[in-house]
Amino acid sequence: MALVSAVRRIAQVRLRDLCRRSTVAVAVSPGACVTGLRSFTAGTQSLRSDNKVTVNFINRDGEKITVKGSPGDSLLDVIVNEDLDFDGFGACEGTLACSTCHLIFDEDVFKKLEPVTDEELDMLDLAYGLTETSRLGCQICLTKSLEGMVARVPESVSDIRQSNDGTA
Ligand code: FES
């Protein structure tokens, strides 16, 4: 009996610690925290589907392709996950070595994107058809604020890796 009580006490202390660390659950008492954790777990399935971000790609031939991605996914991830066929896109698989993932955004979307890094800027300079609102798709991560965004695929790509080895 004493052993059962000891285990319960340890479990309550651990739960309390977990609740303190969690940004989701607010611990008023150990019981309240457990309820909060349970409802969070039960609700994650619907959260996952509600949390998707709609992305509209305009293909090279002007076709609009609407897909969904998860927050945190890069636009390259979305294109790969949805098996979109943009010829030559994402040749270096997001290692910032090719610029084939060049995308062009509307001004309002462009302003919402995370700041460009020097490494992305260096590679972006080598992209075909660079515009004021160009970015590299492998460096753009989805957030809910980008819901409904439009990304245009430039009419051509230049892969700096091929230029460097003389194959293009
Ligand atoms: S996939 Fe190569 S730079 Fe983005």
Side-chain angles (χ1 to χ4, degrees), residues 40-97:
F40 175 71
T41 306
T44 51
Q45 193 59 41
S46 63
L47 273 177
R48 264 185 225 126
S49 55
D50 292 348
N51 239 359
K52 294 280 186 178
V53 180
T54 304
V55 181
N56 302 291
F57 290 101
I58 309 292
N59 204 345
R60 294 195 175 104
D61 58 10
E63 179 191 8
K64 184 177 175 181
I65 302 164
T66 301
V67 292
K68 287 184 179 284
S70 299
D73 284 352
S74 73
L75 290 178
L76 176 61
D77 293 333
V78 174
I79 289 168
V80 169
N81 292 343
E82 293 294 325
D83 204 19
L84 303 182
D85 185 20
F86 300 151
D87 191 34
F89 195 94
C92 78
E93 300 176 351
T95 58
L96 269 178

Side-chain angles (χ1 to χ4, degrees), residues 76 89-101 123 136-139:
L76 176 61
F89 195 94
C92 78
E93 300 176 351
T95 58
L96 269 178
C98 72
S99 81
T100 61
C101 60
M123 199 49 59
L136 295 180
C138 69
Q139 302 302 303

